[in-house]
Amino acid sequence: MERGIASAKVDLVKGLNVSTAKRMKTGLTAALTPIVVLGIVAQPARAEVAAPPPITSYEGDPGRLGDPASWRTPEFNRDTGLLSMGVEFAYAAGYSGTEMNIGVVDSGVFAGHVREHGSLATDYATGDRYFSVEAAGGQTGPTPGFYDPAFNDSHGTHVSGTIGASRDGVGETQPGGPIANMHGVAFNSNVYVGNTHKTDGVLYGLLPATATGAQRPDDAYIGSVYRAVNTAQTANGKPVRIITSSWGSQPNTENYNTYDAPAGSPASFGLNTAWRLWSTPDGVVDANGSTVRWLNGAIEAGRSGTIIQFTAGNSGYVNPSPRGAAPYFMPELEGHWYTTSGINPTVGRTVNPDGSVLVPGQQTFNQCGVAKWSCVTAPSNGINSTTVQVVNGVPQPRYGSSSGTSMAGPHSAAALALIMQRFPYLTNEQALYTMFTTGRQNNTISDAAGNATPNPTRGQIVQVPDRRNGWHTPSLREAMKGPGQLLGPFVVDTQGHSDVWSNDISDVAIQARQREDADETAAWEATKLAKGWTNGLPADASDVDRSDYAIGMRREQARNARVYEGSLTKRGAGTLLLTGNETWHGTSTVLDGKLSIAGTHASAIDVRGGTLGGSGTVADGVTVTGGVLQPGLAADEAAQITDASVTPGDVLNVGGNVSIGQEGRLAVTISGDGDYTSVRAAGELALAGELDLDVRGSLTPGTVLTIMSGSSISGTFHAVPENRVMNADGHLFRVSYKNNSVTLTVLRALPPAAR
């Protein structure tokens, strides 16, 4: 059933393309000074955020737009993780994963879970949202993505159900059990599955001597699976934007509690030691006897821009597995790769009076450790999802509960898909950072010794990632409102969409990272000095030194390239309206479309094209070298903002200077004697560009309209000196720059024939 649910959207005016006519009006009373006629062209059509398709669900589903609680049905609650991530807020906004393509590499998905795969017809053979991706390579022939009992277990089916199992409302039972059906996080997404040709028992690191054939991965084949899923020809022609992996077990040859092998431990212990296996170049035989590394297939996908998710592991170590920690060793993967640790949603979770989550739960299993800047936590304990059971040789659909970071990974990946659907104009990296910076804090953090201790800010939105929780748990309640922080330059192309970001947006995390990077730089310089690496590696350096030097240099290059303040650049058609308290430190730049400030904005704004508008406050200065300064937030604009309390307003307040260059313009809307837009600046006004007036109502002669004010004024608008009389939409105004203000005195309205 197609249910009539559409998202909240904003319908805002794009930047005015207006020019001031410079011809003189003749035949008027000689006592008047020369008159400038302002030619106001028609405003362009409004740009709108496209409403998401109606949510496909079942007849009688109580879920309603704008009502998160209505989505918390028994089926919803059978996955305890949905509440911990505030998924109901995405549904209430109209987002359920429709048209999103999510990749999975795991032990296949059982095609017999017909209803959960998107078809509500019980005779449907393979499901209409779950797709097999065939791959081949190494010693493994062509293998489809669907579960095969000859070499798979139900792990991949469980993971895939968490992502996309249908919300069908059917109270399905299973032999000897209660009603067990559930639905996935992104229950209308498309799921593209590649098969490891193994079970979850396959080992992903240094193989012990006792490893069986079932535990040994075919590296060349599994690498090809990632390449195949990443380049899959999807049914809707859109790319697979996320590939999530939870498969595999840690070998007992590895331990990630330390970075290097501690004294007295096996030489294979330590996260850095484990990473050396994966950094062995292809073509070179590694410690497992393989000449290729399957992880390189995932790395290729990540470098193409696809988001890669690997789970952190289940041993309770202070670091995730090396595959989860890859962005630490290869910083160029940041923004395209992350790992997911777990939370127990039944320990430490609290809820608000409205039934929504406050504290998501308590971190468990491997911690984020060195990967904290690319790590989140997600529900991992007692997760009910789809499974498969072989009965008398025949696979049967079932439901079952499992625990581990394998359950956390699909939760976070599907949450990211909902963010991508909500913000179709964001890049994959920007969507990932939106998920990071809107995380809700868990119940515990680490003390100085690394022990779990109560988190004094639990339940609040994350500020800086920590080694136990990383960015904590995704909160779709906040993520639906836009980024929570800018982690450096954020160049957003709205691509014709208009939208509202209503979170308070800071750059506190990247500034904290600057301090961390300074400490890391000092330690690295000391290491180079102690080891004699200040001029590079000696020719006889050991393989261990070569690996450590390569990691250190990659991290040094990443630090040198990092920008330690947030900044926003608005590109593309459409309006971006900011309603929160924006405290990032870098300059904001408008190049196209419109940026509208309805809240408070701390940093300076440069307008080089497009339009700057709004009725909020810019604490620093505004420089218009090109484009338009158009103060005010109209009532029809404000009415489109549903997730923040915003009222219409005529005044844009500026705490610093305002400069309008020769190629810039000020556009003022006049609707009545006391209803007109204006700029009030605490600093100086420097004027040289055009003045555009749009008169929409009747005016009383003698009324003085103050359209700009500041501490001083230099210059004038182009062709509009002191006392110049202007004709705008048939109304005559006298302009003045006295008393540190730009004023328009209403003279009279011209008869229609004289306009």
Side-chain angles (χ1 to χ4, degrees), residues 95-130:
Y95 301 97
S96 59
T98 304
E99 294 296 300
M100 299 306 303
N101 299 321
I102 304 174
V104 178
V105 176
D106 212 297
S107 59
V109 60
F110 179 47
H113 257 292
V114 179
R115 297 185 64 85
E116 299 297 1
H117 289 182
S119 172
L120 301 185
T122 56
D123 59 350
Y124 195 84
T126 58
D128 53 14
R129 291 187 298 101
Y130 278 61

PDB file of all heavy atoms in Angstrom, residues 95-130:
ATOM      1  N   TYR A  95      11.020   9.294   5.770  1.00  0.00           N
ATOM      2  CA  TYR A  95      12.185   8.613   5.208  1.00  0.00           C
ATOM      3  C   TYR A  95      12.288   7.195   5.748  1.00  0.00           C
ATOM      4  O   TYR A  95      12.392   6.976   6.954  1.00  0.00           O
ATOM      5  CB  TYR A  95      13.462   9.400   5.522  1.00  0.00           C
ATOM      6  CG  TYR A  95      13.401  10.792   4.957  1.00  0.00           C
ATOM      7  CD1 TYR A  95      13.010  11.868   5.760  1.00  0.00           C
ATOM      8  CD2 TYR A  95      13.662  11.039   3.625  1.00  0.00           C
ATOM      9  CE1 TYR A  95      12.903  13.151   5.249  1.00  0.00           C
ATOM     10  CE2 TYR A  95      13.566  12.313   3.093  1.00  0.00           C
ATOM     11  CZ  TYR A  95      13.178  13.364   3.909  1.00  0.00           C
ATOM     12  OH  TYR A  95      13.064  14.628   3.396  1.00  0.00           O
ATOM     13  N   SER A  96      12.279   6.235   4.827  1.00  0.00           N
ATOM     14  CA  SER A  96      12.369   4.823   5.205  1.00  0.00           C
ATOM     15  C   SER A  96      13.374   4.078   4.340  1.00  0.00           C
ATOM     16  O   SER A  96      13.408   2.851   4.366  1.00  0.00           O
ATOM     17  CB  SER A  96      10.990   4.160   5.076  1.00  0.00           C
ATOM     18  OG  SER A  96      10.509   4.265   3.735  1.00  0.00           O
ATOM     19  N   GLY A  97      14.184   4.809   3.563  1.00  0.00           N
ATOM     20  CA  GLY A  97      15.217   4.181   2.738  1.00  0.00           C
ATOM     21  C   GLY A  97      14.838   3.952   1.302  1.00  0.00           C
ATOM     22  O   GLY A  97      15.612   3.351   0.546  1.00  0.00           O
ATOM     23  N   THR A  98      13.672   4.418   0.876  1.00  0.00           N
ATOM     24  CA  THR A  98      13.230   4.214  -0.502  1.00  0.00           C
ATOM     25  C   THR A  98      14.260   4.726  -1.493  1.00  0.00           C
ATOM     26  O   THR A  98      14.770   5.840  -1.362  1.00  0.00           O
ATOM     27  CB  THR A  98      11.886   4.922  -0.728  1.00  0.00           C
ATOM     28  OG1 THR A  98      10.944   4.443   0.230  1.00  0.00           O
ATOM     29  CG2 THR A  98      11.359   4.667  -2.131  1.00  0.00           C
ATOM     30  N   GLU A  99      14.593   3.887  -2.477  1.00  0.00           N
ATOM     31  CA  GLU A  99      15.537   4.203  -3.562  1.00  0.00           C
ATOM     32  C   GLU A  99      16.991   4.230  -3.114  1.00  0.00           C
ATOM     33  O   GLU A  99      17.880   4.493  -3.914  1.00  0.00           O
ATOM     34  CB  GLU A  99      15.187   5.540  -4.236  1.00  0.00           C
ATOM     35  CG  GLU A  99      13.860   5.536  -4.978  1.00  0.00           C
ATOM     36  CD  GLU A  99      13.870   4.575  -6.155  1.00  0.00           C
ATOM     37  OE1 GLU A  99      14.694   4.751  -7.067  1.00  0.00           O
ATOM     38  OE2 GLU A  99      13.063   3.622  -6.150  1.00  0.00           O
ATOM     39  N   MET A 100      17.271   3.952  -1.833  1.00  0.00           N
ATOM     40  CA  MET A 100      18.648   3.870  -1.369  1.00  0.00           C
ATOM     41  C   MET A 100      19.173   2.454  -1.588  1.00  0.00           C
ATOM     42  O   MET A 100      18.473   1.474  -1.300  1.00  0.00           O
ATOM     43  CB  MET A 100      18.746   4.243   0.109  1.00  0.00           C
ATOM     44  CG  MET A 100      18.287   5.660   0.434  1.00  0.00           C
ATOM     45  SD  MET A 100      19.127   6.923  -0.540  1.00  0.00           S
ATOM     46  CE  MET A 100      20.837   6.592  -0.141  1.00  0.00           C
ATOM     47  N   ASN A 101      20.392   2.353  -2.102  1.00  0.00           N
ATOM     48  CA  ASN A 101      21.024   1.064  -2.368  1.00  0.00           C
ATOM     49  C   ASN A 101      22.135   0.826  -1.349  1.00  0.00           C
ATOM     50  O   ASN A 101      23.107   1.579  -1.294  1.00  0.00           O
ATOM     51  CB  ASN A 101      21.605   1.042  -3.780  1.00  0.00           C
ATOM     52  CG  ASN A 101      20.536   1.229  -4.844  1.00  0.00           C
ATOM     53  OD1 ASN A 101      19.438   0.699  -4.727  1.00  0.00           O
ATOM     54  ND2 ASN A 101      20.846   1.986  -5.872  1.00  0.00           N
ATOM     55  N   ILE A 102      21.975  -0.208  -0.538  1.00  0.00           N
ATOM     56  CA  ILE A 102      22.927  -0.536   0.524  1.00  0.00           C
ATOM     57  C   ILE A 102      23.593  -1.862   0.182  1.00  0.00           C
ATOM     58  O   ILE A 102      22.910  -2.851  -0.094  1.00  0.00           O
ATOM     59  CB  ILE A 102      22.227  -0.633   1.883  1.00  0.00           C
ATOM     60  CG1 ILE A 102      21.468   0.665   2.196  1.00  0.00           C
ATOM     61  CG2 ILE A 102      23.229  -0.944   2.990  1.00  0.00           C
ATOM     62  CD1 ILE A 102      20.624   0.591   3.450  1.00  0.00           C
ATOM     63  N   GLY A 103      24.911  -1.885   0.187  1.00  0.00           N
ATOM     64  CA  GLY A 103      25.644  -3.105  -0.095  1.00  0.00           C
ATOM     65  C   GLY A 103      25.994  -3.856   1.179  1.00  0.00           C
ATOM     66  O   GLY A 103      26.281  -3.254   2.216  1.00  0.00           O
ATOM     67  N   VAL A 104      25.976  -5.164   1.102  1.00  0.00           N
ATOM     68  CA  VAL A 104      26.335  -6.036   2.220  1.00  0.00           C
ATOM     69  C   VAL A 104      27.296  -7.100   1.698  1.00  0.00           C
ATOM     70  O   VAL A 104      27.048  -7.711   0.656  1.00  0.00           O
ATOM     71  CB  VAL A 104      25.095  -6.733   2.826  1.00  0.00           C
ATOM     72  CG1 VAL A 104      25.508  -7.666   3.961  1.00  0.00           C
ATOM     73  CG2 VAL A 104      24.089  -5.714   3.313  1.00  0.00           C
ATOM     74  N   VAL A 105      28.394  -7.303   2.386  1.00  0.00           N
ATOM     75  CA  VAL A 105      29.261  -8.455   2.123  1.00  0.00           C
ATOM     76  C   VAL A 105      29.218  -9.316   3.373  1.00  0.00           C
ATOM     77  O   VAL A 105      29.631  -8.886   4.450  1.00  0.00           O
ATOM     78  CB  VAL A 105      30.698  -8.023   1.787  1.00  0.00           C
ATOM     79  CG1 VAL A 105      31.588  -9.259   1.617  1.00  0.00           C
ATOM     80  CG2 VAL A 105      30.726  -7.175   0.521  1.00  0.00           C
ATOM     81  N   ASP A 106      28.698 -10.532   3.231  1.00  0.00           N
ATOM     82  CA  ASP A 106      28.521 -11.417   4.384  1.00  0.00           C
ATOM     83  C   ASP A 106      28.251 -12.817   3.862  1.00  0.00           C
ATOM     84  O   ASP A 106      28.453 -13.087   2.669  1.00  0.00           O
ATOM     85  CB  ASP A 106      27.380 -10.912   5.278  1.00  0.00           C
ATOM     86  CG  ASP A 106      27.610 -11.214   6.749  1.00  0.00           C
ATOM     87  OD1 ASP A 106      27.668 -12.410   7.095  1.00  0.00           O
ATOM     88  OD2 ASP A 106      27.762 -10.265   7.544  1.00  0.00           O
ATOM     89  N   SER A 107      27.728 -13.669   4.720  1.00  0.00           N
ATOM     90  CA  SER A 107      27.539 -15.079   4.365  1.00  0.00           C
ATOM     91  C   SER A 107      26.204 -15.312   3.666  1.00  0.00           C
ATOM     92  O   SER A 107      25.480 -16.263   3.982  1.00  0.00           O
ATOM     93  CB  SER A 107      27.645 -15.951   5.620  1.00  0.00           C
ATOM     94  OG  SER A 107      26.672 -15.580   6.581  1.00  0.00           O
ATOM     95  N   GLY A 108      25.886 -14.462   2.701  1.00  0.00           N
ATOM     96  CA  GLY A 108      24.675 -14.634   1.913  1.00  0.00           C
ATOM     97  C   GLY A 108      23.427 -14.210   2.661  1.00  0.00           C
ATOM     98  O   GLY A 108      23.439 -13.985   3.872  1.00  0.00           O
ATOM     99  N   VAL A 109      22.342 -14.076   1.922  1.00  0.00           N
ATOM    100  CA  VAL A 109      21.044 -13.748   2.510  1.00  0.00           C
ATOM    101  C   VAL A 109      20.031 -14.765   1.999  1.00  0.00           C
ATOM    102  O   VAL A 109      20.000 -15.101   0.808  1.00  0.00           O
ATOM    103  CB  VAL A 109      20.607 -12.315   2.172  1.00  0.00           C
ATOM    104  CG1 VAL A 109      20.472 -12.093   0.669  1.00  0.00           C
ATOM    105  CG2 VAL A 109      19.298 -11.964   2.875  1.00  0.00           C
ATOM    106  N   PHE A 110      19.218 -15.302   2.900  1.00  0.00           N
ATOM    107  CA  PHE A 110      18.254 -16.332   2.539  1.00  0.00           C
ATOM    108  C   PHE A 110      17.126 -15.733   1.713  1.00  0.00           C
ATOM    109  O   PHE A 110      16.394 -14.845   2.172  1.00  0.00           O
ATOM    110  CB  PHE A 110      17.710 -16.996   3.802  1.00  0.00           C
ATOM    111  CG  PHE A 110      16.693 -18.064   3.542  1.00  0.00           C
ATOM    112  CD1 PHE A 110      16.913 -19.043   2.575  1.00  0.00           C
ATOM    113  CD2 PHE A 110      15.519 -18.115   4.265  1.00  0.00           C
ATOM    114  CE1 PHE A 110      15.977 -20.034   2.330  1.00  0.00           C
ATOM    115  CE2 PHE A 110      14.572 -19.104   4.040  1.00  0.00           C
ATOM    116  CZ  PHE A 110      14.807 -20.067   3.063  1.00  0.00           C
ATOM    117  N   ALA A 111      16.985 -16.228   0.493  1.00  0.00           N
ATOM    118  CA  ALA A 111      15.967 -15.694  -0.411  1.00  0.00           C
ATOM    119  C   ALA A 111      14.559 -16.079   0.003  1.00  0.00           C
ATOM    120  O   ALA A 111      13.588 -15.492  -0.482  1.00  0.00           O
ATOM    121  CB  ALA A 111      16.236 -16.185  -1.839  1.00  0.00           C
ATOM    122  N   GLY A 112      14.428 -17.045   0.909  1.00  0.00           N
ATOM    123  CA  GLY A 112      13.106 -17.518   1.287  1.00  0.00           C
ATOM    124  C   GLY A 112      12.376 -16.651   2.292  1.00  0.00           C
ATOM    125  O   GLY A 112      11.223 -16.934   2.618  1.00  0.00           O
ATOM    126  N   HIS A 113      13.027 -15.587   2.798  1.00  0.00           N
ATOM    127  CA  HIS A 113      12.323 -14.652   3.682  1.00  0.00           C
ATOM    128  C   HIS A 113      11.522 -13.690   2.806  1.00  0.00           C
ATOM    129  O   HIS A 113      11.789 -12.488   2.737  1.00  0.00           O
ATOM    130  CB  HIS A 113      13.310 -13.882   4.554  1.00  0.00           C
ATOM    131  CG  HIS A 113      13.388 -14.381   5.957  1.00  0.00           C
ATOM    132  ND1 HIS A 113      12.358 -14.259   6.861  1.00  0.00           N
ATOM    133  CD2 HIS A 113      14.380 -15.027   6.616  1.00  0.00           C
ATOM    134  CE1 HIS A 113      12.710 -14.797   8.015  1.00  0.00           C
ATOM    135  NE2 HIS A 113      13.935 -15.273   7.902  1.00  0.00           N
ATOM    136  N   VAL A 114      10.512 -14.232   2.156  1.00  0.00           N
ATOM    137  CA  VAL A 114       9.844 -13.528   1.077  1.00  0.00           C
ATOM    138  C   VAL A 114       9.229 -12.213   1.542  1.00  0.00           C
ATOM    139  O   VAL A 114       9.468 -11.153   0.951  1.00  0.00           O
ATOM    140  CB  VAL A 114       8.768 -14.441   0.446  1.00  0.00           C
ATOM    141  CG1 VAL A 114       8.045 -13.706  -0.668  1.00  0.00           C
ATOM    142  CG2 VAL A 114       9.415 -15.705  -0.085  1.00  0.00           C
ATOM    143  N   ARG A 115       8.449 -12.265   2.581  1.00  0.00           N
ATOM    144  CA  ARG A 115       7.758 -11.052   3.012  1.00  0.00           C
ATOM    145  C   ARG A 115       8.757  -9.987   3.456  1.00  0.00           C
ATOM    146  O   ARG A 115       8.566  -8.795   3.209  1.00  0.00           O
ATOM    147  CB  ARG A 115       6.790 -11.367   4.151  1.00  0.00           C
ATOM    148  CG  ARG A 115       5.676 -12.323   3.779  1.00  0.00           C
ATOM    149  CD  ARG A 115       4.692 -12.489   4.928  1.00  0.00           C
ATOM    150  NE  ARG A 115       4.016 -11.241   5.237  1.00  0.00           N
ATOM    151  CZ  ARG A 115       2.913 -10.798   4.616  1.00  0.00           C
ATOM    152  NH1 ARG A 115       2.376 -11.499   3.637  1.00  0.00           N
ATOM    153  NH2 ARG A 115       2.356  -9.663   4.970  1.00  0.00           N
ATOM    154  N   GLU A 116       9.801 -10.401   4.107  1.00  0.00           N
ATOM    155  CA  GLU A 116      10.761  -9.428   4.611  1.00  0.00           C
ATOM    156  C   GLU A 116      11.611  -8.809   3.502  1.00  0.00           C
ATOM    157  O   GLU A 116      12.301  -7.820   3.730  1.00  0.00           O
ATOM    158  CB  GLU A 116      11.673 -10.070   5.659  1.00  0.00           C
ATOM    159  CG  GLU A 116      10.956 -10.606   6.874  1.00  0.00           C
ATOM    160  CD  GLU A 116      10.241  -9.530   7.691  1.00  0.00           C
ATOM    161  OE1 GLU A 116      10.282  -8.351   7.314  1.00  0.00           O
ATOM    162  OE2 GLU A 116       9.622  -9.868   8.715  1.00  0.00           O
ATOM    163  N   HIS A 117      11.556  -9.379   2.332  1.00  0.00           N
ATOM    164  CA  HIS A 117      12.346  -8.835   1.229  1.00  0.00           C
ATOM    165  C   HIS A 117      11.561  -7.850   0.379  1.00  0.00           C
ATOM    166  O   HIS A 117      12.041  -7.422  -0.666  1.00  0.00           O
ATOM    167  CB  HIS A 117      12.877  -9.966   0.351  1.00  0.00           C
ATOM    168  CG  HIS A 117      13.953 -10.760   1.010  1.00  0.00           C
ATOM    169  ND1 HIS A 117      14.605 -11.793   0.400  1.00  0.00           N
ATOM    170  CD2 HIS A 117      14.498 -10.675   2.253  1.00  0.00           C
ATOM    171  CE1 HIS A 117      15.507 -12.304   1.223  1.00  0.00           C
ATOM    172  NE2 HIS A 117      15.444 -11.644   2.360  1.00  0.00           N
ATOM    173  N   GLY A 118      10.384  -7.507   0.801  1.00  0.00           N
ATOM    174  CA  GLY A 118       9.672  -6.434   0.128  1.00  0.00           C
ATOM    175  C   GLY A 118       8.430  -6.843  -0.599  1.00  0.00           C
ATOM    176  O   GLY A 118       7.671  -5.988  -1.035  1.00  0.00           O
ATOM    177  N   SER A 119       8.213  -8.123  -0.790  1.00  0.00           N
ATOM    178  CA  SER A 119       6.999  -8.554  -1.465  1.00  0.00           C
ATOM    179  C   SER A 119       5.983  -8.991  -0.431  1.00  0.00           C
ATOM    180  O   SER A 119       6.279  -9.809   0.433  1.00  0.00           O
ATOM    181  CB  SER A 119       7.283  -9.715  -2.414  1.00  0.00           C
ATOM    182  OG  SER A 119       6.069 -10.236  -2.905  1.00  0.00           O
ATOM    183  N   LEU A 120       4.797  -8.431  -0.511  1.00  0.00           N
ATOM    184  CA  LEU A 120       3.740  -8.820   0.418  1.00  0.00           C
ATOM    185  C   LEU A 120       2.920  -9.987  -0.120  1.00  0.00           C
ATOM    186  O   LEU A 120       1.953 -10.406   0.495  1.00  0.00           O
ATOM    187  CB  LEU A 120       2.841  -7.623   0.727  1.00  0.00           C
ATOM    188  CG  LEU A 120       3.575  -6.422   1.337  1.00  0.00           C
ATOM    189  CD1 LEU A 120       2.587  -5.334   1.725  1.00  0.00           C
ATOM    190  CD2 LEU A 120       4.405  -6.831   2.542  1.00  0.00           C
ATOM    191  N   ALA A 121       3.329 -10.523  -1.284  1.00  0.00           N
ATOM    192  CA  ALA A 121       2.669 -11.708  -1.827  1.00  0.00           C
ATOM    193  C   ALA A 121       3.465 -12.930  -1.393  1.00  0.00           C
ATOM    194  O   ALA A 121       4.664 -13.033  -1.638  1.00  0.00           O
ATOM    195  CB  ALA A 121       2.608 -11.632  -3.349  1.00  0.00           C
ATOM    196  N   THR A 122       2.798 -13.901  -0.754  1.00  0.00           N
ATOM    197  CA  THR A 122       3.524 -15.027  -0.173  1.00  0.00           C
ATOM    198  C   THR A 122       4.120 -15.949  -1.227  1.00  0.00           C
ATOM    199  O   THR A 122       4.974 -16.773  -0.917  1.00  0.00           O
ATOM    200  CB  THR A 122       2.587 -15.843   0.725  1.00  0.00           C
ATOM    201  OG1 THR A 122       1.452 -16.254  -0.036  1.00  0.00           O
ATOM    202  CG2 THR A 122       2.136 -15.020   1.909  1.00  0.00           C
ATOM    203  N   ASP A 123       3.671 -15.841  -2.488  1.00  0.00           N
ATOM    204  CA  ASP A 123       4.221 -16.719  -3.516  1.00  0.00           C
ATOM    205  C   ASP A 123       5.365 -16.060  -4.281  1.00  0.00           C
ATOM    206  O   ASP A 123       5.865 -16.613  -5.258  1.00  0.00           O
ATOM    207  CB  ASP A 123       3.117 -17.133  -4.508  1.00  0.00           C
ATOM    208  CG  ASP A 123       2.479 -15.924  -5.199  1.00  0.00           C
ATOM    209  OD1 ASP A 123       2.765 -14.793  -4.772  1.00  0.00           O
ATOM    210  OD2 ASP A 123       1.706 -16.138  -6.143  1.00  0.00           O
ATOM    211  N   TYR A 124       5.799 -14.871  -3.820  1.00  0.00           N
ATOM    212  CA  TYR A 124       6.884 -14.187  -4.515  1.00  0.00           C
ATOM    213  C   TYR A 124       8.178 -14.948  -4.276  1.00  0.00           C
ATOM    214  O   TYR A 124       8.508 -15.314  -3.151  1.00  0.00           O
ATOM    215  CB  TYR A 124       7.002 -12.739  -4.029  1.00  0.00           C
ATOM    216  CG  TYR A 124       7.829 -11.878  -4.930  1.00  0.00           C
ATOM    217  CD1 TYR A 124       7.278 -11.286  -6.050  1.00  0.00           C
ATOM    218  CD2 TYR A 124       9.184 -11.677  -4.667  1.00  0.00           C
ATOM    219  CE1 TYR A 124       8.045 -10.491  -6.881  1.00  0.00           C
ATOM    220  CE2 TYR A 124       9.950 -10.885  -5.492  1.00  0.00           C
ATOM    221  CZ  TYR A 124       9.381 -10.293  -6.599  1.00  0.00           C
ATOM    222  OH  TYR A 124      10.147  -9.512  -7.423  1.00  0.00           O
ATOM    223  N   ALA A 125       8.930 -15.211  -5.330  1.00  0.00           N
ATOM    224  CA  ALA A 125      10.039 -16.160  -5.258  1.00  0.00           C
ATOM    225  C   ALA A 125      11.279 -15.625  -4.546  1.00  0.00           C
ATOM    226  O   ALA A 125      11.851 -16.294  -3.693  1.00  0.00           O
ATOM    227  CB  ALA A 125      10.407 -16.621  -6.660  1.00  0.00           C
ATOM    228  N   THR A 126      11.735 -14.455  -4.903  1.00  0.00           N
ATOM    229  CA  THR A 126      13.042 -14.023  -4.394  1.00  0.00           C
ATOM    230  C   THR A 126      13.019 -12.675  -3.709  1.00  0.00           C
ATOM    231  O   THR A 126      14.039 -12.249  -3.171  1.00  0.00           O
ATOM    232  CB  THR A 126      14.055 -13.939  -5.552  1.00  0.00           C
ATOM    233  OG1 THR A 126      13.573 -13.033  -6.550  1.00  0.00           O
ATOM    234  CG2 THR A 126      14.296 -15.294  -6.168  1.00  0.00           C
ATOM    235  N   GLY A 127      11.914 -12.023  -3.671  1.00  0.00           N
ATOM    236  CA  GLY A 127      11.874 -10.711  -3.029  1.00  0.00           C
ATOM    237  C   GLY A 127      12.258  -9.620  -4.007  1.00  0.00           C
ATOM    238  O   GLY A 127      13.082  -9.811  -4.893  1.00  0.00           O
ATOM    239  N   ASP A 128      11.655  -8.460  -3.853  1.00  0.00           N
ATOM    240  CA  ASP A 128      11.860  -7.417  -4.850  1.00  0.00           C
ATOM    241  C   ASP A 128      12.775  -6.301  -4.382  1.00  0.00           C
ATOM    242  O   ASP A 128      12.991  -5.354  -5.110  1.00  0.00           O
ATOM    243  CB  ASP A 128      10.518  -6.831  -5.296  1.00  0.00           C
ATOM    244  CG  ASP A 128       9.659  -6.363  -4.134  1.00  0.00           C
ATOM    245  OD1 ASP A 128      10.184  -6.237  -3.010  1.00  0.00           O
ATOM    246  OD2 ASP A 128       8.458  -6.124  -4.348  1.00  0.00           O
ATOM    247  N   ARG A 129      13.354  -6.369  -3.162  1.00  0.00           N
ATOM    248  CA  ARG A 129      14.308  -5.347  -2.722  1.00  0.00           C
ATOM    249  C   ARG A 129      15.663  -5.940  -2.350  1.00  0.00           C
ATOM    250  O   ARG A 129      16.589  -5.204  -2.053  1.00  0.00           O
ATOM    251  CB  ARG A 129      13.748  -4.565  -1.521  1.00  0.00           C
ATOM    252  CG  ARG A 129      12.575  -3.668  -1.840  1.00  0.00           C
ATOM    253  CD  ARG A 129      12.190  -2.803  -0.645  1.00  0.00           C
ATOM    254  NE  ARG A 129      11.774  -3.601   0.488  1.00  0.00           N
ATOM    255  CZ  ARG A 129      12.524  -3.876   1.547  1.00  0.00           C
ATOM    256  NH1 ARG A 129      13.753  -3.412   1.631  1.00  0.00           N
ATOM    257  NH2 ARG A 129      12.068  -4.620   2.542  1.00  0.00           N
ATOM    258  N   TYR A 130      15.775  -7.245  -2.332  1.00  0.00           N
ATOM    259  CA  TYR A 130      17.034  -7.907  -2.011  1.00  0.00           C
ATOM    260  C   TYR A 130      17.617  -8.497  -3.293  1.00  0.00           C
ATOM    261  O   TYR A 130      16.965  -9.288  -3.971  1.00  0.00           O
ATOM    262  CB  TYR A 130      16.824  -8.998  -0.972  1.00  0.00           C
ATOM    263  CG  TYR A 130      16.772  -8.483   0.448  1.00  0.00           C
ATOM    264  CD1 TYR A 130      15.782  -7.579   0.849  1.00  0.00           C
ATOM    265  CD2 TYR A 130      17.701  -8.875   1.391  1.00  0.00           C
ATOM    266  CE1 TYR A 130      15.728  -7.099   2.141  1.00  0.00           C
ATOM    267  CE2 TYR A 130      17.660  -8.405   2.704  1.00  0.00           C
ATOM    268  CZ  TYR A 130      16.666  -7.508   3.060  1.00  0.00           C
ATOM    269  OH  TYR A 130      16.613  -7.035   4.346  1.00  0.00           O
TER     270      TYR A 130
END
